[in-house]
Amino acid sequence: MTNSRRQLSTALKLGLVAGMAAGWMCAAAPQAAQAQSLALTGYKQAVAESLSEDEGMAAFYRARGFEPIWTSADDAATARRAALIQALSSAGQHGLPARRYDPVSLLARMRAVRSDRDRGQLEIELSRAYLQFARDLSGGALDGRRIDSGIKREPARRASEDLLEALATGEPRAVFRDLAPKTPEYTRLMREKLSLERVIARGGWGAPVTVGKLDPGDSGPGVVILRDRLIEMGYLKPTLSARYDDALRDAVLAFQGDHGLEADGVAGSSTLSAVNVPATERLKSVIVAMERERWINFADGLGERHVLVNIVDFHARIIDDGKVTFETRSVVGHQDPDRRTPEFSDVMEFMVINPSWYVPRSIVVNEYLPLLRRNPGAVSHLVITDSRGRRVNRGNGFAQYSAASFPFAMRQPPGPKNALGQVKFMFPNKYNIYLHDTPSKHLFARGQRTFSHGCIRLGDPKDFAYALLALQTDDPEGFFASRLRGGSESRVNLEQPVPVHLIYRTAFTQAKGRVNYRADVYGRDAKIWDALAAAGVALGGVES
C-alpha cells in the first residue's frame, strides 16, 4: 500500500471526515458568534470569487444564496464529505485516473481551514472535485475526439447545476452510486476487471506457448503448456493429460469462439497468438471498454430497439429490450486511415430498395479519375453527370481534369451488380456512412472483414430489412419483394426510427458466458489506453 493510501485509510478510520466541521469551526476564531453575525462575508466572498470558470456551478450557488453544501457543520454536509472521499478513493475500481481526484490532499485541505475565507475556498474545491469525478464516472474521463479522428462522439456531460442539485437534495451515497452506467455490460466489465486483477496478482496465466501449431492428437511439452494456460483461463477443467484430446479440443473451440477466430479446434498461429496475450493486455482492453461504455451512457439509454454495430467484431445486431433479436455478419472500413469506419450514434430513418450508388467524391477523384484520364471508356458501369444531372459525353475525354478541377459526379444505377446491392439503410449523417447490401458476398467468409471504404456491408441485408419492416407491415417479405420487383429506387420510411450505434469494443461481454476479445484493427484502443495511463490510470494487481 502506498503512503498516500495509508494516510487516506488512517484518516477514514479515525473519522476525520465526520469530525472535520467541528474542527474548522473551532479553529476559525474564538468569537464564533461574532463571525456568524457578520453573515460569513468572508466565506461568501471567497465562493463568489471562485465561480467564474463554471457558469452552471455559479448558477447553483447564486440560487441558494451561496449557502454551502459541503462546509457547514450539519449532518448532511458531513455525510456528503464522507461520501465524496469514499467515492474518490474508489476511482481505481472503475478504471479512472485516481490521482486526478487526490482525496488525501482534500482531507489535508479540510484540516487546514482556519477562516471563513478558507472555508469558502474549500467549498468550491470540494464541488470541483465532485463535478470532475461525477462527469468522469458518468460520461468518461477522456474526450475520444482528441485521441483519434475516427472517434466522433461528443462527451456526454451532465450540467454542473444538475449534478450539484442532485447532491444537495439526495442521499449522498445513493447519488454517487447512480453516477456509473447502470448497464449490464458495465457491471460485467467491472467483474472481469476484478477477475483479471486477481489473475495478474498471482502471476498471470502461466508460460506462453512457443510452438507454431498444435493439432488434435498431438502430445508433448507444447500441449501441456497450452493445456495449463487454458485451465488458468477457465476453459478447461484441471487434468493431467498431455495429449491434445477431445477435452482440449473443446476448450480450444470455445476459446476461438470467444476471440472471433475460425472455430476449427486446431491451435494454429492465430489461435496461439491470442492464447499468449498476457492478462495485463486483456485488462487494458477491459478498462478501455469501461471508458467507452461511459461514452454512451446516454440519459435516455440506447433505445428500446436499436442497431448496434461493433466495428471490430464485424457484426451488426438489432437489440430489442436488451436482447439480440437479429444478428448478421458485417464488413467494415479498411485499415487505411481514410477508409476506417468512424464511431458515432445517429437514427435510422429509412431504407432504399434498389438503390443507386452515388460515388463519394474521394473515390471519384482518387480512384476513377486516373482511369478515365487514360481511357474515357473506363468504369463503364458508372454514369457521369454534370451539375444539372445531365449525362456527360465520354467522347470529349477527361485528360484535362485534375482532382481539384473535375466538375462531374458519378452514379451507378440500380441493378444486380450495384455496389450497394439491393438495399441500403440510411441514418443521415455528415460522415456519409450507412448500412447496405453488397454483391461481394465472398468477403463475409473471412475472419477479419475490413474491406469497405467506411460504410458497413451486411451479410443478410434482406433479413435485416424484414426485421425492421416487421413493426409496420404484416408481410415484410412480400412488401420488400414487391418494391424490389419494381426495379427503380424506392424509399421506405421507418414508422419508428431506430437509433444506430457504431461502437468499437475489443472487449465485450455476453449475458451468459465469458468475456469476448477482438483485435484492435485500427489501433484506437491502444491510443485510448495510452491516454488513460497518461492521465493516471493504473493496472490493478501489478506491483509498483
Side-chain angles (χ1 to χ4, degrees):
M1 183 181 289
T2 64
N3 187 50
S4 61
R5 287 184 179 178
R6 288 194 187 94
Q7 293 176 21
L8 178 58
S9 177
T10 301
L12 292 172
K13 288 178 181 178
L14 292 177
L16 291 178
V17 177
M20 203 63 65
W24 70 53
M25 292 300 288
C26 291
Q31 298 85 9
Q34 180 181 0
Q36 290 176 358
S37 68
L38 293 175
L40 299 181
T41 303
Y43 158 81
K44 290 188 176 181
Q45 183 177 352
V47 170
E49 289 173 352
S50 304
L51 289 174
S52 59
E53 298 178 3
D54 189 328
E55 179 54 38
M57 184 160 62
F60 169 78
Y61 277 102
R62 282 197 301 266
R64 56 188 291 113
F66 298 98
E67 288 299 312
I69 61 172
W70 304 102
T71 58
S72 61
D74 58 31
D75 291 342
T78 299
R80 292 187 195 107
R81 292 194 300 274
L84 174 65
I85 296 300
Q86 184 176 40
L88 299 187
S89 65
S90 70
Q93 297 176 18
H94 292 274
L96 291 173
R99 72 186 186 197
R100 179 179 286 183
Y101 319 112
D102 198 1
V104 172
S105 293
L106 284 177
L107 284 169
R109 283 282 292 113
M110 292 181 195
R111 289 193 293 268
V113 170
R114 294 294 181 270
S115 67
D116 283 338
R117 183 171 184 80
D118 291 344
R119 189 161 67 89
Q121 292 172 340
L122 176 65
E123 174 75 23
I124 298 305
E125 190 170 344
L126 292 172
S127 283
R128 285 175 177 158
Y130 162 66
L131 290 174
Q132 177 75 74
F133 177 77
R135 288 175 177 141
D136 289 355
L137 183 54
S138 63
L142 303 174
D143 182 345
R145 299 172 302 175
R146 298 181 180 179
I147 298 170
D148 189 282
S149 61
I151 301 173
K152 308 297 184 181
R153 297 193 178 281
E154 182 178 354
R157 296 291 188 239
R158 292 174 60 183
S160 299
E161 196 169 359
D162 293 342
L163 286 167
L164 288 166
E165 187 63 32
L167 189 67
T169 58
E171 197 283 314
R173 295 186 190 280
V175 171
F176 280 100
R177 283 196 302 269
D178 287 343
L179 291 173
K182 293 296 179 291
T183 61
E185 178 74 5
Y186 192 80
T187 300
R188 292 192 291 258
L189 286 169
M190 281 196 71
R191 189 182 305 134
E192 177 76 351
K193 177 178 178 291
L194 293 172
S195 176
L196 287 169
E197 288 170 347
R198 288 192 293 267
V199 168
I200 293 167
R202 65 173 184 259
W205 288 313
V209 185
T210 56
V211 299
K213 181 183 180 183
L214 292 168
D215 290 291
D218 286 350
S219 60
V223 171
V224 171
I225 294 173
L226 173 62
R227 175 203 72 189
D228 291 347
R229 202 163 174 89
L230 289 175
I231 289 172
E232 288 296 319
M233 291 178 179
Y235 283 95
L236 183 65
K237 293 181 179 179
T239 175
L240 296 177
S241 173
R243 288 188 66 255
Y244 199 137
D245 54 19
D246 288 344
L248 182 55
R249 181 177 180 275
D250 289 344
V252 169
L253 281 168
F255 179 90
Q256 290 171 330
D258 288 346
H259 292 76
L261 303 167
E262 181 183 357
D264 58 6
V266 176
S269 58
S270 297
T271 296
L272 292 178
S273 177
V275 166
N276 286 336
V277 173
T280 50
E281 292 303 309
R282 297 304 189 197
L283 179 56
K284 291 177 184 178
S285 294
V286 169
I287 291 173
V288 169
M290 292 172 67
E291 173 70 2
R292 288 181 170 280
E293 187 71 4
R294 291 188 285 263
W295 290 354
I296 58 172
N297 185 30
F298 306 136
D300 53 354
L302 299 182
E304 292 184 9
R305 159 169 277 207
H306 62 270
V307 173
L308 191 69
V309 179
N310 184 356
I311 296 168
V312 297
D313 179 42
F314 311 115
H315 279 81
R317 298 173 174 90
I318 296 177
I319 313 293
D320 287 292
D321 297 320
K323 296 181 179 179
V324 177
T325 55
F326 180 83
E327 179 177 344
T328 182
R329 292 187 172 198
S330 64
V331 168
V332 301
H334 193 273
Q335 289 99 320
D336 288 347
D338 61 346
R339 294 174 61 184
R340 296 173 182 174
T341 300
E343 303 168 46
F344 65 97
S345 295
D346 216 300
V347 178
M348 185 182 296
E349 299 175 358
F350 63 95
M351 67 181 72
V352 178
I353 302 172
N354 291 318
S356 293
W357 180 41
Y358 297 88
V359 186
R361 176 75 181 179
S362 60
I363 299 177
V364 169
V365 299
N366 294 328
E367 298 184 26
Y368 294 152
L369 178 58
L371 301 177
L372 291 168
R373 284 167 57 87
R374 294 193 296 269
N375 175 16
V379 291
S380 58
H381 63 293
L382 300 176
V383 175
I384 304 174
T385 57
D386 62 17
S387 60
R388 296 184 180 180
R390 298 173 299 190
R391 187 185 291 260
V392 172
N393 183 358
R394 289 172 176 253
N396 295 328
F398 303 97
Q400 67 272 33
Y401 297 113
S402 66
S405 65
F406 188 73
F408 306 124
M410 302 180 75
R411 176 178 65 87
Q412 183 182 17
K417 295 184 179 180
N418 187 281
L420 304 185
Q422 296 180 323
V423 61
K424 66 178 179 179
F425 304 90
M426 302 300 293
F427 40 107
N429 57 81
K430 61 184 177 182
Y431 316 113
N432 198 29
I433 297 296
Y434 44 89
L435 280 60
H436 65 87
D437 183 16
T438 176
S440 302
K441 302 295 187 183
H442 65 284
L443 295 176
F444 293 102
R446 304 284 186 89
Q448 180 171 306
R449 297 187 287 276
T450 49
F451 301 106
S452 82
H453 283 83
C455 288
I456 296 105
R457 306 174 189 172
L458 301 180
D460 301 293
K462 287 185 180 179
D463 291 334
F464 186 82
Y466 303 156
L468 294 173
L469 292 170
L471 296 185
Q472 58 194 67
T473 176
D474 293 334
D475 183 16
E477 295 184 34
F479 176 89
F480 187 93
S482 66
R483 294 296 183 96
L484 190 62
R485 285 194 299 269
S488 59
E489 282 196 35
S490 176
R491 170 171 169 154
V492 179
N493 292 330
L494 297 181
E495 293 178 4
Q496 296 182 22
V498 181
V500 177
H501 307 287
L502 307 187
I503 65 172
Y504 187 105
R505 297 290 179 86
T506 62
F508 59 95
T509 74
Q510 306 175 87
K512 296 180 180 179
R514 301 176 184 86
V515 174
N516 279 225
Y517 292 97
R518 297 293 185 268
D520 186 11
V521 294
Y522 296 162
R524 289 178 188 166
D525 271 18
K527 291 181 181 180
I528 294 171
W529 168 254
D530 287 345
L532 287 170
V537 174
L539 293 180
V542 178
E543 292 187 6
S544 57

